[in-house]
Structures are given as C-alpha cells and as structure tokens.
Amino acid sequence: MIIPLIRPHHADLRSEINFFPLFPLSKDMNWTGTAMTLHFNELYDYLRKESTNASERNSSVHDWVGHIETDTFLTNARIFYSYFTPGILIVGFLGNLLSLYVFLSRNMRGLSASTYLAALSTSDLLTLMFYVTVEWLRRGLLYLRPEIKLTFIDVDGFCQFQLYMSYMSRFLSAWLVVAFTGERYIGVCHPLKRRNICTKSGTRRIVGSIFVISAVVVLYKPILSAVFVSSDGKHYCTTERDYNFVSFILDSIYAVLITLVPFIIISVLNILIMRRLIIRNKRKRECKIITEESIIRLEFTIILLAISFCFIGLNIPFFAVWLRNFLHSKYISNVDVLELYTHNFEFWQGVLYITRSIFYINYCINFFLYSITGAYFRREVKMLFTYHSLKRDSYSRCSLRNSRSNSHTPQSYL
C-alpha cells in the first residue's frame, strides 16, 4: 500500500539527519532520507496548533536543525557506523559459515550442543543478511554515497518480507542462546536427567519448536507495515500510520522478549552453572578423575558461558538506549514534542549509532569465542584447511574410541 505524505518544512535537510525513532524497536524502519517525514510532520503539525508561539518555535526549530548539521559527535558516530558495519558483515558471514560447517562435520554433528550452535550460526547469518545488511544500506551506504538509489529495498512485498525475516532471525538467535544455556544447565547441574533430555532428537525438537514460535510471534510485523511515499516521490518501509499505537505495543513486547527476558534467564542459569562447576572442580582435585567426556562437556560449557556473557554485554548498551527511547515516546511521556527533539538530540543520535554498532558485533563474534575456548573446535577448523584425509580419518576413529572407552554415555548426550 502506498500512502502519500505532506512534505514538511526543512524537508531539504532530511538526507542529512538520522532521527531517533519515537517508537521502540523501530530500528528496522528507514529513518534516513524520506523516513524522517513522519517526525517533521509531527513537529509541523504541532507548530501549526501553537499559533501564539509559532514564530518563536519556528525559530527554535531552525536553530536546532542548523546545530545538528554541524554536530561533531553525531557526524563522527555516523562515520564510525558507516565504515565499521561492513567489517562486521564480512567477518560475520565468513565466521558463521565456517562455524556452521564445523558443527555439521562428521566429528561434531553427533553432539547435542553442536545442534544448538549450528542453528545459532544459521540464525546469525539470517540476521546479518536481512537486518544488519539492510540497515547499513539505509543508514551507512546512503550516508557515504547519497547519490545511490536503493529503490529495491522500499517496495511492497520485499519491505514486509525483510521486516519479517529480520524480526524472526533476531528472536531466533536470542532464544537459541537461552535454549543452549538451559541444555548446559541440565548437563552440569542435573547430570542424571541428561540422558533423557539432552539427546540429539530432543535437541532437534527444541530447536524446531523455537523456530516455529519465532515464526508465529513476529507475524504482526509485516501485517502492520507498508511502503509510504513522500511528496517528492521517495519510498520508504515503515509502520502503517493507522496502526502506530498497536505497533508500539507489540514492538515493546517483542523488545522485552529478545532482551530483558533472555537476560534474566541466562544470568540466573549461568550463576547456577558456575556455582556447580566450582563445587565439582574442588571434588575432582581431590579424586583426580579426568575423562575425555568430561573435557568435552567442560569445553562446551565454557563456550556457552562466553557466548551468553557476550550476548548480554553487547546487547545492554543498545537496550539501554532503546529503553530511554521508550520512556520518551509519545505514548509514555508527556514531554513537549519540541523539547523532545531539541534536548540533547544530536548526542543521543550519536550514542544510538555507536551502540547499534556494538550490538551488531553479537552476530559476528561467536566464531572467535569458539576458537578461543574450544580445543576441539580449533582442531576441526585446522582440519578444514588441511587435505590429509588419512589424518582426518585417524582422528575421527581415535576421538570416538576415546569417548567410548572413557564413558558409557553416547556422544549425543554431551
């Protein structure tokens, strides 16, 4: 659906400003270029209603827009985002593809933990493709090369599909980390239940369930979205104006489901895991019992702790800015519209670009975490770049023989 909008005052400056969205988690909207019409329309309508102070307020808007154009912090933040994000995309695509190959390899695919990590690599690839790449094209590439026309992004069909995939992949990534944390919690704190729960078939059912839930939860996004056109003929993909409040509520719930709820679950389970590992480590020092199986399980547990701590650490800055945005939204706060836009606007815009860049690292860092914390993962990556098939077969037989000789627990239980 194409809906024309009134071209507001200062529309000629829109290509130079990236607005802080009024609605929570509307980072998938095109806030560069013509997308800022929504915000200028609000200011324009507001100034028209305030006829007694119209001239004074118009003067304030002129001063504010002029100040944003020359703000050094905001400019540097946009430049940082524009050049930093392509590096994340390159590293993320290569790293996740390598990780996916390793976890699906003959030596690793028998482990239940590998199923979670392979699914996580897949969801991160989808997020990089449908979220990070599209966001960089809108916010970064168009800032560096404003003469480029990316008309294929903001068209009906692709607009809704891209929003749906970006929302689904982020939901999937967050809850796969939660599921992997739960699996490691059972393996470490309730080892007797591991045989019944942490099986390969059970893991596949859990991953499949998370996929189905994520696909259903985000169905609202493409339904409430549309392509709008400004008076100068430019298109952009955003929420239909008739459903702004509904989208505000659902986006807020979505934001909590992929940030706050996973934060709490992961933090609590990690505390319990570390507590049990400390107790177990003291006992093993006394008994001096170390098996191949225990080493593998410990490595996957360390990998989990590294992934979950990075997930929380890299999400918190962007979540904090989103929370500030949420509290200042027009549905929550009674702050004057003009005051909302003029009070430290350029500072928070710059912070938004920086925290968004930090948030993107979450989708490219896992390969390095696997390589640093997992000796078996490093060995498999090394074999990936060698062509000694006999050595590979020897390692496979040796690894399987050691695992079977040291424990009666099948590899799928690890």
Side-chain angles (χ1 to χ4, degrees), residues 8-14 17 19 36-37 39-50 53-70 336-343 345-346:
H9 198 53
H10 300 302
D12 55 321
L13 298 175
R14 288 174 299 173
I17 309 170
F19 273 84
M36 293 175 290
T37 303
H39 299 277
F40 272 127
N41 274 344
E42 291 185 21
L43 283 174
Y44 182 69
D45 294 339
Y46 179 73
L47 293 175
R48 287 173 57 190
K49 295 176 183 178
E50 298 291 331
N53 298 321
S55 59
E56 178 182 349
R57 290 178 178 270
N58 269 304
S59 177
S60 299
V61 173
H62 276 286
D63 295 339
W64 164 63
V65 173
H67 179 61
I68 290 178
E69 289 186 288
T70 59
D336 183 282
V337 175
L338 188 58
E339 180 183 350
L340 172 65
Y341 280 96
T342 56
H343 183 64
F345 176 86
E346 61 278 2

Side-chain angles (χ1 to χ4, degrees), residues 57 87 162 199 367 410:
R57 290 178 178 270
Q162 181 266 322
T199 63
F367 174 80

Side-chain angles (χ1 to χ4, degrees), residues 14 69 76 138 145 199 229 278 281 284 330 390:
R14 288 174 299 173
E69 289 186 288
N76 291 337
R138 287 171 172 162
R145 302 288 298 275
T199 63
V229 60
I278 293 173
N281 186 51
K284 285 185 177 180
K330 66 179 182 180
L390 293 177

Side-chain angles (χ1 to χ4, degrees), residues 13-21 26-36 39 68-69 71-86 88 131-132 134-144 314-315 317-322 324-325 344-361:
L13 298 175
R14 288 174 299 173
S15 60
E16 301 297 328
I17 309 170
N18 188 312
F19 273 84
F20 196 105
S26 40
K27 51 184 177 295
D28 37 36
M29 298 182 185
N30 180 9
W31 294 106
T32 57
T34 57
M36 293 175 290
H39 299 277
I68 290 178
E69 289 186 288
D71 182 73
T72 304
F73 177 69
L74 177 57
T75 301
N76 291 337
R78 295 195 69 175
I79 293 174
F80 171 77
Y81 170 85
S82 300
Y83 285 104
F84 184 71
T85 304
I88 291 177
Y131 174 58
V132 179
V134 176
E135 284 292 286
W136 178 74
L137 290 175
R138 287 171 172 162
R139 303 175 188 273
L141 182 62
L142 289 181
Y143 178 73
L144 299 175
L314 295 173
N315 274 268
F318 193 65
F319 175 73
V321 177
W322 172 86
R324 186 259 179 193
N325 181 32
N344 290 330
F345 176 86
E346 61 278 2
F347 171 78
W348 286 106
Q349 274 296 99
V351 172
L352 180 64
Y353 276 110
I354 294 174
T355 55
R356 180 182 286 114
S357 301
I358 296 173
F359 169 69
Y360 288 168
I361 298 176

Side-chain angles (χ1 to χ4, degrees), residues 292 374-384 395 399:
E292 183 81 6
Y376 283 84
F377 182 85
R378 291 195 300 270
R379 188 182 303 179
E380 197 66 26
V381 172
K382 183 178 180 180
M383 287 187 169
L384 177 62
Y395 162 72
S399 177

